[in-house]
């Protein structure tokens, strides 16, 4: 392959395949559940093209590392800066202070090419909070830009000193180390393998190794057609068959990487390579960078305004708008900076560098201001005083750790254990805040409801990292002194349709671990969810609305899909003969939900988790119900004991 510097249309066509798969995946288009592998295809393309560029220039004696970085900067930075600036402006208009603060923080890292590190620390590419992260997709740019920090110097040195064969060997070794390290870490810290550059070297190595391995592009028509046919099968399989729960990346990334490498090698095939050379496909490949940049913020803001479930019309609109904006940005932003020789008014290298520094500094300064001031709360005036949702979250987590991180009960008290996920943490906070410490003690035992899958023998349905986490939780539950000694075990979780049906497995597991034959088990139903309602509440406060009006609006905005899930929890509780307590009834009546409390304090720090103020209010409603059920059971047990004692007395 190193004999030709000709432009390869099919490589642009492959870029189109990569970016369209990512776009369709992010837009929730059916059949593209593994579209995220488009990023891996991009990495292989970059590994091939960058290595090819460096090696050919070194062989010609024309390689200058400063020129390399100047070309990369002209290629990447102008469009990135425009995207960051535009998205921050839109976020400042739409987002609540907390949401803007988090967006601004990621904007700082994105401008510095380290957003992959930021999102690794936040973790969770596939979680629901991704829909509030307009710059989440820039993690891959961070990986690529960090790759550029090392690769040019390494390849130029190896080509000049070691030759092609030894260079290929070293690339294979680096790829193998990256792959092996990824496999070792994936089960423990999958987010690190996903986001961090060292674990992604294997994908770049596929493209780089391809350049040194193949002396020329496939000259055999049969071999080219075979390579391209396999490439299509492998890439389509990855895009259609992979899911958010697939074991990925590491070994899982080999499939799309192999497909991409085969497509580059056999892309000139007359029949199977033809789709990659279609004019429209090539054009989409040319605008693929801009399309990748603009599509995700558009999706985030669309879902924020219209809801997380995109209908067909919205999916099509997102695709059309994204492609249209990408075409404009490629024409008027990318192209003039990328090919300055064709523009007599182009900036000189020094002037371009100065403008880049100025733009980056401006974006970082504005983003840092929004980040460090808590998301410019002044936009909402006094209404936003209590709306520091990150602070409310921290208070809730700190309370749980301070008051609930205890190995076992102390003293002769009613022993209450709340079992479940983050909703159990909220419930435990609520009960602890209102408990009578002289007679009651509340502790928390983490056991996510999804872990019932393992108890049901369906562990393969769970991704590797959550599976290990569940196994750890189940082990802690087996050894828990809290569970062994509890008087009351209260299950409280987010719940979904599947975990509600598997509730008997969780109950059975708890009964097996309890040493107290009189332990009472109770079930707390599914909690309400108020997606993106904080922004509306803030606006209503700003406009002078009272708390009752906001809470009536909350009742209208609550997610109705929770009702069917809650009905399953109620039915499962009834079949088990266990007391069911409605979490919904703690929060809502027929026409209002207590989303806002006195002094304009939010009862929630996100769409479903209680703040400490909310936990106290709801705990005051929940604890009497638990006491009442416990007292009724105790009275029933006492009556039965008296009756049994009377039956045994002689006549």
């Amino acid at each position: 392959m190193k004999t030709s510097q000709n432009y390869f249309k099919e490589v642009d066509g492959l870029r189109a395949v990569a970016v369209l798969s990512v776009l369709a995946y992010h837009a929730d288009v059916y059949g593209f559940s593994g579209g995220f592998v488009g990023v891996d295809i991009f990495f292989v393309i970059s590994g091939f093209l960058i290595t090819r560029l460096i090696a050919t220039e070194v062989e010609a004696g024309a390689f200058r590392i400063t020129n390399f970085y100047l070309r990369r900067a002209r290629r990447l930075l102008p469009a990135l800066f425009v995207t960051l600036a535009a998205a921050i402006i839109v976020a400042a208009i739409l987002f609540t202070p907390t949401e803007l603060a988090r967006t601004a923080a990621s904007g700082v890292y994105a401008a510095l090419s380290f957003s992959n590190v930021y999102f690794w620390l936040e973790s969770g590419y596939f979680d629901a909070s991704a829909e509030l992260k307009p710059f989440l997709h820039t993690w891959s740019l961070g990986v690529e830009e960090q790759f550029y920090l090392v690769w040019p110097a390494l390849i130029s040195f190896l080509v000049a000193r070691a030759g092609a064969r030894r260079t290929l060997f070293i690339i294979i070794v680096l790829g193998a180390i990256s792959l092996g390290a990824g496999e070792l870490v994936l089960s423990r810290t999958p987010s690190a393998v996903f986001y961090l550059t060292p674990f992604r070297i294997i994908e770049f190595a596929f493209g780089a190794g391809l350049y040194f391995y193949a002396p020329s592009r496939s000259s055999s028509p049969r071999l080219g057609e075979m390579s391209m046919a396999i490439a299509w099968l492998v890439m389509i399989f990855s895009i259609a068959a992979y899911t958010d729960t697939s074991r990925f990346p590491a070994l899982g990334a080999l499939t799309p990487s192999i497909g991409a490498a085969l497509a580059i090698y056999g892309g000139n095939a007359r029949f199977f390579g033809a789709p990659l050379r279609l004019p429209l496909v090539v054009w989409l490949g040319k605008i693929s960078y801009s399309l990748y940049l603009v599509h995700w913020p558009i999706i985030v803001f669309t879902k924020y305004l219209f809801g997380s479930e995109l209908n067909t019309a919205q999916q099509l609109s997102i695709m059309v708008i994204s492609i249209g904006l990408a075409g404009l940005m490629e024409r008027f932003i990318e192209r003039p900076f990328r090919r300055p020789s064709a523009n007599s008014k182009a900036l000189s290298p020094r002037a371009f560098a100065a403008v880049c520094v100025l733009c980056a500094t401006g974006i970082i300064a504005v983003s840092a201001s929004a980040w460090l001031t808590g998301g410019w709360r002044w936009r909402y005036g006094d209404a936003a005083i209590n709306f520091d949702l990150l602070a409310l979250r921290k208070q809730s987590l700190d309370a749980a750790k301070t008051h609930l991180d205890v190995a076992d009960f102390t003293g002769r008290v009613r022993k209450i254990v709340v079992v479940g996920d983050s909703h159990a943490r909220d419930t435990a906070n609520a009960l602890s805040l209102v408990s009578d410490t002289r007679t009651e003690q509340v502790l928390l035992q983490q056991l996510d409801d999804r872990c019932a899958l393992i108890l049901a023998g369906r562990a393969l349905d769970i991704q590797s990292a959550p599976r290990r986490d569940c196994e750890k939780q189940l082990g802690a539950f087996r050894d828990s002194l809290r569970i062994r000694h509890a008087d009351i075990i209260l299950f409280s979780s987010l719940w979904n349709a599947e975990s509600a049906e598997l509730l008997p497995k969780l109950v059975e597991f708890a009964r097996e671990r309890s040493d107290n034959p009189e332990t009472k088990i109770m079930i707390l139903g599914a909690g309400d969810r108020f997606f993106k309602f904080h922004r509306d509440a803030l606006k209503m406060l700003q406009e002078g609305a009272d708390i009752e009006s906001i809470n009536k609006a909350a009742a209208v905005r609550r997610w109705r899909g929770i009702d069917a899930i809650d009905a399953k929890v109620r039915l499962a509780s009834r079949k088990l003969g266990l007391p069911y307590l409605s979490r919904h009834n703690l929060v809502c009546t027929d026409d209002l939900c207590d989303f806002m409390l006195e002094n304009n304090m939010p009862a929630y720090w996100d769409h479903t988790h209680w703040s400490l103020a909310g936990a106290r209010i709801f705990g005051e409603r929940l604890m009497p119900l638990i006491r009442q059920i416990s007292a009724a059971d105790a009275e029933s047990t006492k009556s039965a004991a008296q009756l049994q004692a009377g039956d045994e007395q002689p006549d």
Side-chain angles (χ1 to χ4, degrees):
M1 290 192 182
K2 55 188 179 180
T3 60
S4 174
Q5 282 284 85
N6 294 333
Y7 163 66
F8 299 156
K9 283 186 177 181
E10 51 273 16
V11 173
D12 268 335
L14 187 59
R15 283 195 178 109
V17 172
V19 76
L20 290 177
S21 66
V22 173
L23 173 59
Y25 166 71
H26 282 155
D28 304 326
V29 176
Y30 179 78
F32 287 83
S33 61
F36 52 84
V37 302
V39 173
D40 305 273
I41 295 173
F42 274 128
F43 287 161
V44 174
I45 294 172
S46 290
F48 170 70
L49 292 179
I50 295 303
T51 302
R52 171 176 170 269
L53 173 67
I54 296 169
T56 52
E57 288 191 351
V58 169
E59 291 171 350
F63 179 73
R64 300 290 182 274
I65 199 163
T66 53
N67 291 340
F68 172 86
Y69 285 124
L70 177 62
R71 287 196 297 264
R72 289 295 88 200
R74 289 186 182 278
R75 172 77 170 92
L76 300 176
L77 295 185
L80 174 63
F81 290 156
V82 169
T83 302
L84 293 177
I88 289 172
I89 292 172
V90 176
I93 295 171
L94 295 182
F95 281 2
T96 65
T98 297
E99 293 160 353
L100 177 60
R102 296 181 69 175
T103 297
S106 63
V108 171
Y109 279 81
L112 294 171
S113 301
F114 282 97
S115 61
N116 59 321
V117 176
Y118 175 82
F119 290 119
W120 165 56
L121 295 174
E122 283 220 327
S123 76
Y125 185 71
F126 300 113
D127 63 7
S129 62
E131 295 175 359
L132 289 175
K133 299 176 181 178
F135 301 140
L136 178 58
H137 64 318
T138 63
W139 74 267
S140 65
L141 302 182
V143 169
E144 192 155 339
E145 288 158 359
Q146 290 156 30
F147 169 75
Y148 295 152
L149 293 177
V150 177
W151 205 249
L154 176 64
I155 294 299
S156 60
F157 175 81
L158 290 175
V159 170
R161 303 292 180 88
R165 183 173 297 180
R166 290 180 180 176
T167 300
L168 173 60
F169 175 76
I170 293 173
I171 289 172
I172 292 172
V173 171
L174 291 174
I177 293 172
S178 172
L179 179 63
E183 273 299 301
L184 288 174
V185 176
L186 185 64
S187 296
R188 292 188 291 273
T189 315
S191 59
V193 183
F194 189 92
Y195 284 116
L196 300 186
T197 304
F199 303 109
R200 294 290 189 160
I201 292 297
I202 177 61
E203 292 147 67
F204 293 102
F206 263 97
L210 177 66
Y211 171 77
F212 287 105
Y213 176 76
S216 62
R217 307 192 71 213
S218 176
S219 58
S220 166
R222 180 176 297 179
L223 182 58
E225 296 289 358
M226 184 182 301
S227 297
M228 198 62 229
I230 295 173
W232 280 119
L233 289 174
V234 168
M235 290 190 295
I236 291 172
F237 169 79
S238 302
I239 293 168
Y242 279 22
T243 69
D244 297 354
T245 59
S246 297
R247 196 174 190 279
F248 186 89
L251 284 175
L254 291 184
T255 305
S257 299
I258 291 171
L262 288 173
I264 295 172
Y265 178 71
N268 59 349
R270 181 177 180 182
F271 179 71
F272 285 111
L276 296 180
R277 296 189 296 273
L278 293 173
L280 177 60
V281 176
V282 172
W283 178 75
L284 288 170
K286 288 179 181 295
I287 69 167
S288 60
Y289 177 59
S290 287
L291 181 53
Y292 184 79
L293 284 176
V294 303
H295 86 281
W296 179 245
I298 290 172
I299 290 173
V300 167
F301 296 135
T302 299
K303 289 187 174 183
Y304 191 84
L305 289 172
F306 301 108
S308 299
E309 298 294 329
L310 298 175
N311 58 41
T312 302
Q314 289 170 334
Q315 291 172 332
L316 290 174
S317 298
I318 285 170
M319 292 184 180
V320 171
I321 292 171
S322 297
I323 291 172
L325 287 178
L328 291 173
M329 190 153 74
E330 191 276 337
R331 173 63 182 85
F332 296 105
I333 303 297
E334 274 196 73
R335 200 183 303 175
F337 286 99
R338 189 178 179 185
R339 298 186 177 90
S341 59
N343 185 354
S344 59
K345 298 180 181 180
L347 295 174
S348 67
R350 287 187 178 181
F352 175 77
V355 169
C356 285
V357 171
L358 183 64
C359 289
T361 302
I363 290 171
I364 291 170
V366 171
S367 298
S369 170
W371 179 15
L372 298 176
T373 59
W376 292 337
R377 287 195 291 273
W378 49 261
R379 293 175 296 147
Y380 294 95
D382 293 339
I385 291 176
N386 294 324
F387 271 74
D388 188 343
L389 303 184
L390 291 179
L392 295 180
R393 175 182 181 271
K394 185 176 185 301
Q395 291 171 8
S396 177
L397 297 178
D398 288 347
K401 183 174 179 60
T402 302
H403 300 295
L404 304 170
D405 191 13
V406 180
D408 195 9
F409 295 97
T410 56
R412 298 177 63 85
V413 293
R414 178 186 289 118
K415 305 172 182 66
I416 304 173
V417 178
V418 185
V419 178
D421 55 14
S422 57
H423 279 223
R425 181 193 63 220
D426 288 351
T427 303
N429 274 346
L431 296 176
S432 181
L433 287 169
V434 302
S435 63
D436 183 344
T437 55
R438 297 168 300 176
T439 60
E440 297 166 325
Q441 187 176 3
V442 181
L443 297 180
L444 173 66
Q445 183 69 48
Q446 184 181 7
L447 184 63
D448 293 355
D449 55 303
R450 65 183 174 182
C451 298
L453 289 167
I454 290 181
L455 296 175
R458 293 160 58 183
L460 293 178
D461 292 349
I462 306 179
Q463 197 178 2
S464 57
R467 181 169 62 247
R468 290 180 64 91
D469 188 41
C470 276
E471 290 170 350
K472 181 179 179 181
Q473 291 181 32
L474 290 168
F477 194 99
R478 290 187 183 97
D479 299 333
S480 173
L481 295 174
R482 309 168 202 169
I483 298 299
R484 288 178 59 185
H485 301 149
D487 297 313
I488 297 172
I489 297 176
L490 175 64
F491 281 96
S492 173
S493 280
L494 176 65
W495 302 120
N496 56 45
E498 190 171 37
S499 63
E501 293 175 355
L502 293 174
L503 182 56
K505 291 291 182 182
L506 293 172
V507 172
E508 179 185 0
F509 188 57
R511 283 177 171 154
E512 290 173 351
R513 304 314 304 166
S514 175
D515 288 345
N516 184 353
E518 296 182 0
T519 296
K520 309 297 186 299
I521 298 179
M522 305 177 190
I523 311 298
L524 187 63
D528 282 296
R529 305 176 202 181
F530 303 91
F531 293 108
K532 305 178 183 71
F533 188 67
H534 284 93
R535 182 187 64 140
D536 294 343
L538 266 174
K539 286 188 174 181
M540 293 179 71
L541 282 173
Q542 191 179 27
E543 295 166 358
D546 57 25
I547 292 175
E548 183 178 358
S549 298
I550 295 173
N551 288 343
K552 285 184 176 180
V556 174
R557 283 285 303 278
R558 60 177 287 269
W559 182 53
R560 304 293 170 176
I562 198 65
D563 295 338
I565 296 172
D566 196 38
K568 288 181 177 291
V569 178
R570 187 187 304 113
L571 178 61
S573 303
R574 185 181 304 156
K575 289 181 177 179
L576 292 167
L578 299 176
Y580 161 84
L581 303 171
S582 172
R583 190 182 179 106
H584 168 74
N585 289 344
L586 301 176
V587 177
C588 300
T589 60
D590 291 338
D591 62 345
L592 62 81
C593 295
D594 287 326
F595 187 88
M596 293 294 299
L597 307 176
E598 293 181 358
N599 301 320
N600 296 339
M601 177 64 70
Y604 291 80
W605 59 259
D606 71 352
H607 69 279
T608 191
H609 292 100
W610 296 339
S611 65
L612 282 186
R616 179 177 292 277
I617 295 296
F618 304 139
E620 290 173 351
R621 301 170 186 174
L622 176 60
M623 184 62 92
L625 299 176
I626 293 174
R627 291 169 180 161
Q628 181 180 353
I629 293 171
S630 180
D633 286 347
E635 185 64 30
S636 174
T637 301
K638 180 180 178 182
S639 299
Q642 289 174 342
L643 179 60
Q644 184 179 20
D647 289 342
E648 291 176 352
Q649 291 178 357
D651 293 336

